[in-house]
Amino acid sequence: MASTTSASAPESEIRKRVPIPPADPVLPPPPVLKPNYVHISEQPYTLANWYKHINWLNVVLIIIIPVAGCTAAVFTPLCTKTAVWAFFYYAMTGMSITAGYHRLWAHRSYNAKLPLRIVLAAFGGGAVEGSIRWWAAGHRVHHRYTDTDRDPYNVRRGLLYSHLGWMVFVKNPKKAGRVDISDLNADPVVRWQHRNYVLVLVVMAFLFPMCVAGLGWGDWKGGLFWAGIARMTVVHHATFCVNSLAHWIGDQPFDDRRSPRDHVLTALVTFGEGYHNFHHEFPSDYRNAIIWYQYDPTKWTIWLMKKIGLASDLKTFSQNAIEQGIVQQRQKKLDKWRSRLNWGVPLEQLPVIEFEEFQEQAKERALVLIAGVVHDVTNFVESHPGGKALIQSGIGKDATAVFNGGVYEHSNAAHNLLATMRVGVIRGGMEVEIWKQAHREHKDTVIAQD
Amino acid sequence: MASTTSASAPESEIRKRVPIPPADPVLPPPPVLKPNYVHISEQPYTLANWYKHINWLNVVLIIIIPVAGCTAAVFTPLCTKTAVWAFFYYAMTGMSITAGYHRLWAHRSYNAKLPLRIVLAAFGGGAVEGSIRWWAAGHRVHHRYTDTDRDPYNVRRGLLYSHLGWMVFVKNPKKAGRVDISDLNADPVVRWQHRNYVLVLVVMAFLFPMCVAGLGWGDWKGGLFWAGIARMTVVHHATFCVNSLAHWIGDQPFDDRRSPRDHVLTALVTFGEGYHNFHHEFPSDYRNAIIWYQYDPTKWTIWLMKKIGLASDLKTFSQNAIEQGIVQQRQKKLDKWRSRLNWGVPLEQLPVIEFEEFQEQAKERALVLIAGVVHDVTNFVESHPGGKALIQSGIGKDATAVFNGGVYEHSNAAHNLLATMRVGVIRGGMEVEIWKQAHREHKDTVIAQD
Ligand code: HEM
Ligand code: HEM
Ligand SMILES: [Fe+2]
Ligand SMILES: [Fe+2]
Ligand SMILES: [Fe+2]
Ligand SMILES: [Fe+2]
């Protein structure tokens, strides 16, 4: 049945949680704990143990080989044919990571026929980012525990950590998150590639690109260093950017509770994976970009594979759910903006005064009564767009009707401005209602002066 | 004291309104009505009276002279010097309308020293759009009664009407709106230009541009037809676009209750007056565009005039009021968008069922209880991004804690999606609360399976 990757939570974590029943079909039994054992990652760095903190296999694959190979490439003449082939192979292996490792296997956002799966597994292996099984499991953990300690490429630990560092340092497997990968184990292509990963890596990353250039136009050296290692290095950093840059720069149109962001630059570098805010909200959508002009070649490729019959069941989230996210996110931003503006003293905090008192005070400063609220317009009389005379005609009076269409139906802006000039509330304050009633009954109540 | 333009409202209008007290200092006494008189604009068009419907003076100025003059221009060779002069004079006369007639006199958005006022009155006269007094009064009416019958260039009567038609047809002065123009009458430049308008028109529109070209480089004919009449025609239609196009195409970032709109194309044609939605909300602001990269050369000119000491007291609305408008308008659009989406059946419309009934029904369809609400996830099990096994583990159970972090803290999108799957409410429905309490008290209540 279901299987899981890596071990489970440490003792202290377990105590805080409710116990796991052993009969659970999806998750493994609780781990047997060795009480005094401290994992290397929990120990301080010393001269004696520092090398144990380093994952040397990864260091060789993502730092030493790339540095050595790129140095060699610089001293290898680059002929046009090899350049074109390197670029083409870069796109092939890169897209096998995004369309294969990521959208197909990690997220099952579509189904792929056997030939396509074999191609994606082979070229994806040539990108030197681990087996599908390892990669997809880690990626699922990343989605499940984004931005937490259990997130393997937790961006909260820094940009460099999420880009590379996470592979360089040895981690405590007990701290890793767990996910269901039964569907991956059920795929023979995944199983075969995982078992024979070293072979796949050597052949697809180095031998194949070298042989194509060597047998094709005799450029064995260029094939190895340019189409092989330099190309691999570029694919590495391009796809690593999804874990670093896409959690660092850009907008958050769908949700801002977690770090993923949408940015066209990241998308350009990562074959369309840069619309990462969308992707974390709607992970099983085969698209990362939803607008036609956004750059998502991985989406276009999957769509093309469907057209030629190699892919099917392309999953999309409902347009409704996507728009709900946008609406809520915009609402959040709008609320933040609104709270920074001055909307006037809240009515319930204003002093309540009598109408007579209002009239008395209006002799000293320019007070206007509108809709039961007293406004001090002293500083506005001179700059009133409707003229000094008109606004002065309302001083010491109930100008509700005058303000609301009796003389001029003031704009929304005028109402906003007015609210910022509030200074008091009139006891009773029902003059408007009286006027409205009189108006309805065609009585000659002279309140509006027009 | 205050004076007003044109006559007042017709009888029927007056009856509906509250009477006007004769002592009003700003408005004139109620009109004496001739009971049986019907104004020409209220009469049907007949063969005998059609010519009375036409304002022939305007037709000559804005149609006949332009058509005749432009025809003549086509047969007049255009030399480079005259072309440059015509373009320069086009900008001078056009900007005298926008910076002078409009922003200075109609809206008093800044103060101008006498020399600047004289220049603006002279070149503005050369645009052949009437005297300052007539133009600014009509424009104030337009702002006060935008989109209503009293709006002289009411765009609701059609694009062509608001562009030209309003000047071609005779209107009932009783239907015109009234505004305070006491400040205009107090300006000697305005008074002088109004009294001598025919002289100003002939000299500044035709003789002056002709003499510059004639005395300057001997091109009398080109000066009259190109820099005079063709130039005037272009200024006409450019500035008329503020009344037509700016009420027709573009966005409404500040308020959408009335027709004015912001559009960069209109702005390009009208020396920056195309940000008309802003302008109608904040009419006494000397700017029409507020963002630095927006095209508003009229604003730049006024700002320059201030720098050289010819203008002062440049009025702006508070940034707070401007942002309030944007926030409210965005809120409106967002509310409209929100109301078009599916947010699930409102809780109060859902049937209330017993927990036992829920368990019973869950044997037939995939029902999950979350936060006291029953959800039918039958159609979602297959496409659940977290896998089929996990979602199935919640069927027939209270999955509140599991859904909210127990196994996975679902995204905002998942919550939205969930709401659209609501089918019932559980009586009581307090399981969550019980779980939370047990969790706080470290009791071994097995509800969350992680
Ligand atoms: C109390 C008597 C008042 C009268 C009779 C009156 C009349 C008018 C008129 C006729 C206009 C149109 C000007 C035009 O566009 O040409 C106007 C505009 C305006 N008035 Fe008043 N006003 C009054 C009070 C106020 C007050 C207290 C405020 C304070 C916020 C205010 C704010 C505005 C604003 C912002 C405009 C610009 C156009 C708009 O945004 O609607 N007015 N007023
Ligand atoms: C009832 C038990 C459930 C469990 C244990 C569960 C578990 C999970 C897990 C572990 C993931 C993470 C998958 C990944 O990113 O790799 C996930 C994702 C998701 N689940 Fe569930 N789920 C349950 C029910 C539901 C239900 C009823 C819905 C209905 C809306 C739902 C909607 C989603 C969605 C939309 C995602 C995608 C990621 C996100 O938007 O948060 N789940 N679920
Ligand atoms: Fe991510
Ligand atoms: Fe992903
Ligand atoms: Fe307008
Ligand atoms: Fe205006």
Side-chain angles (χ1 to χ4, degrees):
Chain A
M1 266 228 54
S3 68
T4 59
T5 48
S6 80
S8 43
E11 196 185 8
S12 62
E13 273 281 351
I14 301 256
R15 281 236 191 84
K16 269 190 266 144
R17 287 159 166 264
V18 283
I20 297 162
D24 182 335
V26 175
L27 305 170
V32 185
L33 300 164
K34 303 179 212 153
N36 289 321
Y37 172 74
V38 178
H39 188 267
I40 177 73
S41 65
E42 319 283 309
Q43 296 173 26
Y45 281 64
T46 64
L47 271 177
N49 79 359
W50 71 270
Y51 67 91
K52 287 192 200 164
H53 279 278
I54 309 291
N55 183 330
W56 288 104
L57 176 65
N58 284 351
V59 167
V60 168
L61 290 173
I62 63 175
I63 298 176
I64 298 183
I65 295 185
V67 169
C70 288
T71 312
V74 169
F75 294 100
T76 311
L78 176 61
C79 70
T80 314
K81 277 186 185 153
T82 305
V84 170
W85 164 236
F87 182 81
F88 176 79
Y89 200 54
Y90 152 77
M92 283 289 290
T93 47
M95 292 266 249
S96 293
I97 293 293
T98 60
Y101 275 47
H102 186 220
R103 301 196 197 180
L104 174 64
W105 282 297
H107 293 299
R108 290 170 308 150
S109 70
Y110 64 100
N111 291 332
K113 286 245 174 81
L114 188 63
L116 179 57
R117 292 215 306 281
I118 291 172
V119 168
L120 292 171
F123 289 112
V128 193
E129 305 199 359
S131 73
I132 298 164
R133 193 172 181 276
W134 175 84
W135 197 105
H139 190 75
R140 286 185 189 176
V141 176
H142 164 66
H143 273 267
R144 187 161 168 183
Y145 299 105
T146 313
D147 297 342
T148 72
D149 278 352
R150 286 164 182 248
D151 176 353
Y153 4 109
N154 181 10
V155 78
R156 305 271 190 242
R157 298 184 62 175
L159 194 66
L160 202 61
Y161 180 84
S162 64
H163 191 77
L164 267 185
W166 69 277
M167 288 174 281
V168 169
F169 301 104
V170 171
K171 278 183 295 189
N172 187 346
K174 282 189 194 156
K175 284 230 171 139
R178 289 168 304 157
V179 288
D180 178 3
I181 55 161
S182 50
D183 58 311
L184 299 176
N185 291 334
D187 184 338
V189 175
V190 174
R191 281 204 311 269
W192 189 90
Q193 199 236 31
H194 188 70
R195 269 199 311 270
N196 303 283
Y197 185 64
V198 178
L199 177 72
V200 172
L201 187 158
V202 174
V203 171
M204 295 310 295
F206 310 122
L207 298 184
F208 178 67
M210 182 173 73
C211 290
V212 168
L215 298 174
W217 50 94
D219 186 11
W220 295 90
K221 232 181 123 194
L224 176 63
F225 292 128
W226 282 110
I229 301 176
R231 184 266 325 154
M232 173 194 84
T233 310
V234 175
V235 171
H236 272 172
H237 293 279
T239 47
F240 296 169
C241 274
V242 183
N243 298 334
S244 53
L245 221 56
H247 283 261
W248 201 265
I249 60 160
D251 301 326
Q252 305 194 297
F254 303 98
D255 197 60
D256 64 2
R257 271 165 273 207
R258 288 184 286 181
S259 61
R261 284 157 189 277
D262 281 6
H263 202 295
V264 63
L265 279 183
T266 328
L268 285 173
V269 169
T270 61
F271 307 95
E273 306 273 41
Y275 301 100
H276 207 56
N277 192 256
F278 177 87
H279 174 63
H280 268 263
E281 279 296 288
F282 309 104
S284 56
D285 199 306
Y286 84 97
R287 309 163 299 178
N288 273 13
I290 44 168
I291 314 181
W292 63 268
Y293 59 78
Q294 288 175 323
Y295 180 78
D296 189 354
T298 301
K299 173 182 77 177
W300 305 332
T301 305
I302 295 170
W303 183 88
L304 207 73
M305 290 301 129
K306 186 194 163 174
K307 287 286 147 196
I308 59 178
L310 286 172
S312 60
D313 300 309
L314 274 50
K315 280 190 209 152
T316 57
F317 265 76
S318 76
Q319 185 63 18
N320 189 67
I322 294 169
E323 291 186 22
Q324 282 178 310
I326 302 175
V327 165
Q328 288 163 326
Q329 192 54 29
R330 292 214 182 150
Q331 186 64 61
K332 246 190 195 172
K333 284 184 196 157
L334 214 50
D335 289 345
K336 231 182 253 169
W337 192 356
R338 182 183 288 105
S339 70
R340 280 198 310 267
L341 299 177
N342 172 16
W343 299 88
V345 182
L347 287 178
E348 62 278 11
Q349 289 174 22
L350 290 174
V352 178
I353 62 172
E354 301 293 332
F355 188 74
E356 291 69 27
E357 202 186 323
F358 154 68
Q359 286 178 307
E360 198 54 44
Q361 285 197 28
K363 286 171 190 160
E364 271 141 54
R365 50 191 186 141
L367 295 186
V368 181
L369 175 58
I370 292 172
V373 179
V374 180
H375 304 87
D376 186 343
V377 301
T378 312
N379 296 324
F380 187 65
V381 170
E382 283 299 327
S383 54
H384 177 233
K388 201 168 154 180
L390 277 173
I391 191 168
Q392 276 177 333
S393 73
I395 293 174
K397 300 192 198 135
D398 185 332
T400 311
V402 178
F403 188 82
N404 288 312
V407 168
Y408 175 58
E409 180 138 8
H410 280 80
S411 69
N412 184 42
H415 281 89
N416 287 334
L417 214 54
L418 191 67
T420 64
M421 301 175 188
R422 288 172 185 165
V423 290
V425 170
I426 288 287
R427 193 175 308 286
M430 297 301 290
E431 286 75 9
V432 207
E433 304 312 316
I434 293 164
W435 176 83
K436 275 194 197 151
Q437 201 183 327
H439 191 73
R440 262 199 307 277
E441 296 168 14
H442 294 277
K443 277 192 199 145
D444 288 352
T445 316
V446 182
I447 293 174
Q449 307 253 331
D450 188 5
Chain B
M1 267 230 53
S3 68
T4 58
T5 49
S6 82
S8 45
E11 198 184 7
S12 61
E13 274 280 350
I14 302 254
R15 282 235 190 84
K16 269 191 266 144
R17 287 159 166 262
V18 283
I20 298 161
D24 182 333
V26 175
L27 306 169
V32 183
L33 301 162
K34 301 180 214 155
N36 288 322
Y37 172 74
V38 178
H39 187 268
I40 178 72
S41 64
E42 319 282 310
Q43 297 173 25
Y45 281 64
T46 64
L47 269 178
N49 79 359
W50 70 270
Y51 67 92
K52 287 191 201 166
H53 279 278
I54 309 291
N55 183 331
W56 290 103
L57 177 63
N58 284 352
V59 168
V60 168
L61 289 174
I62 63 174
I63 298 176
I64 297 182
I65 294 183
V67 169
C70 288
T71 312
V74 170
F75 295 99
T76 310
L78 175 61
C79 69
T80 314
K81 279 187 182 152
T82 306
V84 170
W85 165 235
F87 182 82
F88 177 80
Y89 201 53
Y90 152 77
M92 284 288 292
T93 48
M95 293 265 251
S96 294
I97 293 292
T98 60
Y101 275 48
H102 186 220
R103 301 196 197 180
L104 175 64
W105 283 296
H107 293 299
R108 292 168 308 149
S109 70
Y110 64 100
N111 291 332
K113 286 246 174 78
L114 189 63
L116 180 57
R117 292 216 306 281
I118 291 172
V119 168
L120 291 171
F123 289 112
V128 193
E129 303 197 359
S131 72
I132 298 164
R133 193 172 181 274
W134 175 83
W135 198 104
H139 190 76
R140 287 185 188 175
V141 176
H142 165 66
H143 272 267
R144 186 159 169 183
Y145 298 105
T146 314
D147 297 342
T148 71
D149 278 351
R150 284 161 185 252
D151 176 354
Y153 5 107
N154 181 11
V155 78
R156 305 270 189 241
R157 297 184 64 175
L159 193 66
L160 202 62
Y161 181 85
S162 65
H163 192 77
L164 267 185
W166 68 278
M167 289 175 279
V168 169
F169 301 105
V170 170
K171 279 183 293 189
N172 188 346
K174 282 185 195 159
K175 285 232 170 134
R178 290 168 304 158
V179 288
D180 178 3
I181 56 162
S182 50
D183 58 312
L184 299 176
N185 291 334
D187 184 338
V189 176
V190 173
R191 282 204 309 270
W192 188 91
Q193 199 237 31
H194 188 70
R195 269 199 312 269
N196 303 284
Y197 185 65
V198 178
L199 177 71
V200 172
L201 187 158
V202 174
V203 171
M204 296 309 295
F206 310 122
L207 298 184
F208 178 68
M210 182 172 75
C211 290
V212 169
L215 298 174
W217 51 93
D219 186 12
W220 295 90
K221 234 179 122 194
L224 177 62
F225 292 128
W226 283 109
I229 300 176
R231 184 267 324 155
M232 172 194 87
T233 311
V234 176
V235 171
H236 273 173
H237 293 279
T239 47
F240 295 169
C241 274
V242 183
N243 297 334
S244 54
L245 221 56
H247 283 260
W248 201 265
I249 60 161
D251 301 327
Q252 306 193 297
F254 304 97
D255 197 61
D256 64 2
R257 271 165 273 206
R258 288 184 285 180
S259 61
R261 282 156 191 278
D262 281 5
H263 202 295
V264 64
L265 278 183
T266 328
L268 285 173
V269 170
T270 61
F271 307 95
E273 306 273 43
Y275 302 100
H276 208 56
N277 192 256
F278 178 88
H279 174 63
H280 269 263
E281 278 297 288
F282 309 103
S284 56
D285 199 306
Y286 84 97
R287 309 163 299 177
N288 272 13
I290 44 168
I291 314 181
W292 63 268
Y293 59 78
Q294 288 174 322
Y295 180 77
D296 189 353
T298 302
K299 173 182 78 177
W300 305 332
T301 306
I302 295 170
W303 183 88
L304 208 73
M305 289 300 128
K306 187 195 163 173
K307 287 286 148 199
I308 59 178
L310 286 171
S312 60
D313 300 309
L314 275 49
K315 280 191 207 151
T316 56
F317 264 77
S318 76
Q319 185 63 19
N320 188 67
I322 294 169
E323 291 185 22
Q324 282 178 310
I326 301 174
V327 165
Q328 288 163 327
Q329 190 55 27
R330 293 214 183 150
Q331 186 64 61
K332 243 190 197 172
K333 283 184 196 157
L334 215 50
D335 289 344
K336 230 182 253 168
W337 191 357
R338 182 183 287 107
S339 71
R340 280 200 308 268
L341 299 176
N342 172 17
W343 299 88
V345 181
L347 287 178
E348 62 278 11
Q349 289 173 25
L350 290 175
V352 178
I353 62 171
E354 301 293 332
F355 187 75
E356 289 71 27
E357 202 185 325
F358 153 69
Q359 286 177 305
E360 198 53 47
Q361 285 196 28
K363 286 171 191 159
E364 271 141 55
R365 49 192 185 139
L367 294 187
V368 180
L369 175 58
I370 293 173
V373 179
V374 180
H375 304 87
D376 186 343
V377 301
T378 312
N379 297 324
F380 187 65
V381 171
E382 282 299 328
S383 54
H384 177 232
K388 201 169 154 180
L390 278 173
I391 191 169
Q392 276 177 333
S393 73
I395 292 173
K397 302 196 195 129
D398 186 332
T400 311
V402 178
F403 188 82
N404 288 310
V407 169
Y408 176 58
E409 180 137 9
H410 280 81
S411 68
N412 184 41
H415 281 88
N416 287 334
L417 212 55
L418 191 67
T420 65
M421 301 175 188
R422 289 172 184 164
V423 290
V425 170
I426 289 287
R427 193 176 309 288
M430 297 301 290
E431 286 73 8
V432 208
E433 306 313 316
I434 291 164
W435 176 83
K436 276 192 196 153
Q437 202 182 325
H439 191 73
R440 261 198 309 276
E441 295 169 16
H442 294 280
K443 279 194 197 142
D444 288 350
T445 315
V446 183
I447 294 174
Q449 307 253 330
D450 190 5

